[in-house]
């Protein structure tokens, strides 16, 4: 162990290798505090690709696990430490190396904060769409590791769609460059997207070339209240099925509306079954949201509000933004992340209500209706052992319901430690074997983020 | 060999296994006739996934190469047979299994023709964007194998962007299902896009779940003539750099304009250095192409024509459509497919002109200006050995120029046999080793399409 630390220090600046017990403790967890986490041997904060290579070479020589970390804002334990590991925090590699308006791309280091990048490219009239809720704190490297989504995915897609190329340090310490700076390219296998979403189990991203879009028009917002979730679902079906592409389409159920009301009085009626919020950044956003509002009314909305400016738009979205905070005030939260085909969203919401009844737990459903990606959130008292058990059971049954409806256990949060048991239900034995073969091909010693996704520690 | 054929026949319908020498001969080549091709032992035409599994199991048992084929419209020899192989033609698996407007997806077999799918989804108000020039004959399976592009990529992206999930028969004969029916999903590695663009070297696609878009508005077209390629390039830079997203943005150089003029008098001035053609399917396409026309004039266009209806739009695009036919009337063609960052497109065109001068060959440049994906086409007399040698040299130098400009040797046609030597220039030794490790992980016996991309026969 002393040998490991000495070798790490031999190729890194003095302050880059931390072994103080308090520091080690503070890097053990991402936001999945209920998942197991070990105590690292060291926390390393490299500032260059060469330094990352050094860390991986030392780790390979000692066969010591490496757990890459960004902002540790993940929700699935994918960045939780394992005992004796090197925590490799990429937060000091946070330079924006290039923003190029003609090629519509940027080149960044992994520790750049999502919101910083968004603001930097906006100054050039450009737009980096992926916008996870944690965008003010999460890093681009973490976004790539989990293929993060966000609110704008319904129109603009997820992180993967914007990753043109990567620089990756492999387990061996070698540098692999994938992809390219061009919009198109088919020379060789698509290694880029093999690393996107691989949760740090195949390599460590040290640089990313990201595609950008022209800045969209400022959006306008509408909100519609429905007497039943089925009516809200019918409105979503009508909107998507008739070819509309809103830039945001979110849903909150009655439980979520009530929870938000307890935090802040936004005038939401406590008896509404569902609130649908839509935005449009089309050429004529007012005309577009008027059309979306019409479809909501036709499908049974009791009340529809159309914002006429940015301030009103912001207010309408506030309920959605407050949802998780509202749940956290009521208890401990287990946030599901199932995605189902859009046509099955109402079946998912109805099924979740039944699961809540069966286990006598509170489950609020909110999510990205336009993508069928829902976040049913189980709220419970963690000091009540029976309640915690019932919450866990409900949490798992929601994933099983998502799979039965033709969906997936995770739309954007990743598998990490939390969803490993259910991943084995989603992936066939053949797929599991292919995953293992690819893992072995890239990380034969198994040192990269063991115990995450399909890997065992 | 008799044993191989007998075993193939044991699990397939009588007519599915062809060994007639004339049939074998007719399946040897895709459109890369100048690339080597062997003589297959059998041509097999399965009609189901189970039959494909049977073929792969027999091939594995005999360690016989399998060369998957679609319409054989590829340009790089990726579907050329090797001696003693089983040609596995997927053309009989051509059912459209589902078109779902609410989930905006379809499920198809690999032999479905691109244009048939486009027309079928259009009846539901939907749009399958990838539109390679060969769309009336090429198959979706072939499109997936090469990650095909087309004219609309500048706005709508390439095939990869539309592949949600795949059913793949592995070399072992096992069936792997990748991806999902949901728009979002991060459960496990992105195996789907590992297979997209892998040119049949990792598995045989037997079913694909494809994302669809709402049908766009009918586009309008403008065409602009420029006195220099640099002026045309400046117009492209102005259009893209100021945030416009045309639905098509194509360029033709003077050599191409002259070649087209010899096929059909479209009134193109023979002294124009470049013709830029743009389309828009925006909400107000007339206003949008007027804006694009203004940018062309500001950047030095001599003449700009704006179509006011579909017929005029069609006429303006005819020159682009006739280009390759025009070249083929003048001689044998070697079609390059380099893609460079958009900002380097003019450098590419200038460099190609110098290569043409140096080798005293005719090279017409046309391509997808909005994507920086150019098709410099070397035209030569194949009966003149010296001309053929000079053409080959020029062809290779264009790829090397593309790489020097930060680009790739192939934007959409694939590596196949034709570009293998240059792929070794584009991919680092580390990347080549990773490619080999992934190939071994999925096809340990090396039976799938040997001799293509990075593989040696």
């Amino acid at each position: 162990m002393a040998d490991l630390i000495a070798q790490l220090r031999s190729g890194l600046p003095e302050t880059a290798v931390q072994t103080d017990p308090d520091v080690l403790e503070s890097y053990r967890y991402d936001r999945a505090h209920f998942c197991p986490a070990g105590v690292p041997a060291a926390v390393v904060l490299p500032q260059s690709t060469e330094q990352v290579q050094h860390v991986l070479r030392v780790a390979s020589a000692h066969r010591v696990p490496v757990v890459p970390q960004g902002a540790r804002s993940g929700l699935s334990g994918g960045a939780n430490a394992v005992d004796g590991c090197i925590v490799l925090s990429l937060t000091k590699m946070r330079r924006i190396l290039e923003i190029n308006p003609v090629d519509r791309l940027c080149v960044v280091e992994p520790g750049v904060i999502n919101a910083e990048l968004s603001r930097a490219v906006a100054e050039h009239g450009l737009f980096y769409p992926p916008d996870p809720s944690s965008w003010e704190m999460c890093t681009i490297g973490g976004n790539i590791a989990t293929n993060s989504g966000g609110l704008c995915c319904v129109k603009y897609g997820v992180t993967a769609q914007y990753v043109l190329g990567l620089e990756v340090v492999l387990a061996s310490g070698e540098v692999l460059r994938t992809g390219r700076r061009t919009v198109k390219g088919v020379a060789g296998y698509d290694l880029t997207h093999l690393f996107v979403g691989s949760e740090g189990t195949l390599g460590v991203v040290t640089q990313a070339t990201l595609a950008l879009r022209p800045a969209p028009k400022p959006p306008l917002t509408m909100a519609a209240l429905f007497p039943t979730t089925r009516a809200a679902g019918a409105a979503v079906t009508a909107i998507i099925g008739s070819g509309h592409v809103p830039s945001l389409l979110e849903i909150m159920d009655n439980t979520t509306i009530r929870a938000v009301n307890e935090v802040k009085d936004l005038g939401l009626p406590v008896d509404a079954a569902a609130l649908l919020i839509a935005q449009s950044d089309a050429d004529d956003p007012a005309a577009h949201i008027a059309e979306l509002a019409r479809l909501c009314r036709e499908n049974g909305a009791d009340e529809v509000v159309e914002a006429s400016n940015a301030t009103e738009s912001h207010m309408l979205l506030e309920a959605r933004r407050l949802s998780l905070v509202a749940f956290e005030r009521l208890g401990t939260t287990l946030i599901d992340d199932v995605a189902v085909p859009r046509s099955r969203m109402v079946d998912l919401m109805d099924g979740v209500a039944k699961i809540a009844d069966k286990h006598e737990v509170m489950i609020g459903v909110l999510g990205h209706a336009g993508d069928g990606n829902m976040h049913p959130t189980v709220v419970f008292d963690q000091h009540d052992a029976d309640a915690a058990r019932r919450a866990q059971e409900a949490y798992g049954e929601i994933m099983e319901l998502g799979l039965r409806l033709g969906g997936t256990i995770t739309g954007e949060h990743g598998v990490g430690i939390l969803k490993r048991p259910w991943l084995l239900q989603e992936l066939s034995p053949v797929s599991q074997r292919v995953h293992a073969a690819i893992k072995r091909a890239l990380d034969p010693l198994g040192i990269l983020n063991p115990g995450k996704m399909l890997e065992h520690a």
Side-chain angles (χ1 to χ4, degrees), chain A:
Chain A
M1 168 102 152
D3 192 34
L4 171 73
I5 304 300
Q7 285 193 25
L8 282 173
R9 290 212 161 112
S10 72
L12 294 167
E14 179 66 27
T15 57
V17 183
Q18 304 272 339
T19 57
D20 179 273
D22 288 346
V23 174
L24 299 183
E25 181 64 32
S26 68
Y27 281 84
R28 289 179 63 201
Y29 287 94
D30 61 20
R31 278 168 75 189
H33 284 268
F34 34 81
C35 287
V39 179
V43 171
V44 179
L45 297 131
Q47 293 177 29
S48 69
T49 301
E50 292 69 27
Q51 293 178 12
V52 175
Q53 290 184 268
H54 173 74
V55 175
L56 271 296
R57 283 194 206 104
V58 172
S60 277
H62 289 261
R63 305 212 170 191
V64 168
V66 174
V67 178
Q69 288 185 350
R72 290 180 289 121
S73 54
L75 297 165
S76 306
N80 278 11
V82 297
D83 276 331
C85 78
I86 299 166
V87 160
L88 183 60
S89 170
L90 283 310
T91 49
K92 301 289 183 198
M93 292 178 66
R94 55 186 294 172
R95 289 179 300 168
I96 297 174
L97 301 167
E98 180 185 352
I99 296 173
N100 186 323
V102 173
D103 295 335
R104 276 189 198 153
L105 59 79
C106 62
V107 181
V108 302
E109 292 185 331
V112 171
I113 307 291
N114 181 300
E116 282 176 9
L117 179 63
S118 295
R119 284 191 279 264
V121 304
E123 288 177 22
H124 298 262
L126 295 166
F127 176 38
Y128 178 68
D131 60 346
S133 298
S134 56
W135 75 306
E136 286 284 2
M137 63 179 299
C138 65
T139 64
I140 296 297
N143 293 172
I144 291 169
T146 55
N147 190 11
S148 299
L151 300 184
C152 72
C153 302
V154 61
K155 181 164 183 179
Y156 295 109
V158 294
T159 300
Q161 200 168 318
Y162 296 91
V163 185
L164 292 172
L166 295 172
E167 179 187 83
V168 180
V169 177
L170 300 175
S172 62
E174 292 173 302
V175 173
L176 170 69
R177 288 188 181 79
T178 73
R180 45 195 66 84
R181 288 172 62 92
T182 56
V183 234
K184 292 163 74 178
V186 293
Y189 298 148
D190 181 357
L191 300 181
T192 304
H193 292 98
L194 185 59
F195 287 99
V196 175
S198 66
E199 302 190 14
T201 64
L202 299 178
V204 179
V205 171
T206 48
Q207 201 181 95
T209 303
L210 305 172
L212 303 170
R213 293 183 57 97
K217 291 192 190 286
L220 286 180
T221 307
M222 63 125 258
L225 289 154
F226 291 87
T228 63
T229 52
R230 202 151 283 278
V236 172
T237 301
I239 289 169
I240 301 291
S242 57
H244 288 285
V245 185
S247 55
L248 176 150
L249 188 54
E250 298 286 314
I251 196 167
M252 294 162 57
D253 73 350
N254 177 266
T255 304
T256 311
I257 292 169
R258 284 173 183 264
V260 169
N261 261 339
E262 290 183 29
V263 179
K264 186 168 181 177
D265 183 8
L266 294 167
L268 298 174
V270 292
D271 56 343
L275 172 65
L276 202 64
I277 306 169
Q279 280 191 343
S280 170
D281 59 9
D283 282 345
D284 185 345
H288 195 202
I289 64 165
E291 182 63 17
L292 303 180
R294 184 182 65 76
L295 290 169
C296 287
R297 284 193 200 93
E298 279 180 19
N299 284 280
D302 292 322
E303 194 184 336
V304 183
V305 185
E306 294 167 46
S308 60
N309 58 46
T311 311
E312 285 176 27
S313 287
H314 186 81
M315 277 177 56
L316 289 179
L317 206 56
E318 197 175 358
R320 171 66 179 87
R321 288 216 184 83
L322 285 173
S323 303
L324 282 180
V325 176
F327 287 138
E328 283 168 358
R329 282 172 52 136
L330 297 176
T332 299
T333 54
L334 274 171
I335 306 169
D336 255 308
D337 175 40
V338 290
V340 293
R342 292 185 193 97
S343 56
R344 307 308 296 273
M345 191 188 67
V346 173
D347 295 330
L348 179 71
M349 293 181 78
D350 288 353
V352 169
K354 283 182 194 137
I355 291 169
D357 284 348
K358 175 181 160 193
H359 294 282
E360 296 175 22
V361 289
M362 175 179 175
I363 309 179
V365 180
L366 70 165
H368 316 301
D371 289 320
N373 182 197
M374 295 286 121
H375 298 307
T377 302
V378 190
V379 184
F380 64 102
D381 176 0
Q382 66 174 344
H383 304 294
D384 176 343
D386 185 63
R389 183 190 53 73
R390 284 182 282 118
Q392 289 277 0
E393 283 179 10
Y395 180 75
E397 282 184 22
I398 291 168
M399 283 188 265
E400 285 156 15
L401 171 64
L403 290 173
R404 279 201 306 280
L405 294 173
T408 174
I409 60 167
T410 176
E412 57 185 8
H413 294 171
V415 177
I417 299 170
L418 190 60
K419 292 170 207 153
R420 267 175 38 187
W422 293 278
L423 186 63
L424 300 178
Q425 292 183 35
E426 178 159 347
L427 302 182
S428 70
V430 172
S431 178
Q432 292 173 35
R433 283 199 295 278
V434 170
H435 276 76
I438 286 171
K439 170 73 175 175
R440 274 196 306 276
L442 280 153
D443 178 20
L445 302 177
I447 61 168
L448 285 169
N449 214 9
K452 313 302 165 60
M453 201 188 277
L454 272 169
E455 278 297 297
H456 296 278

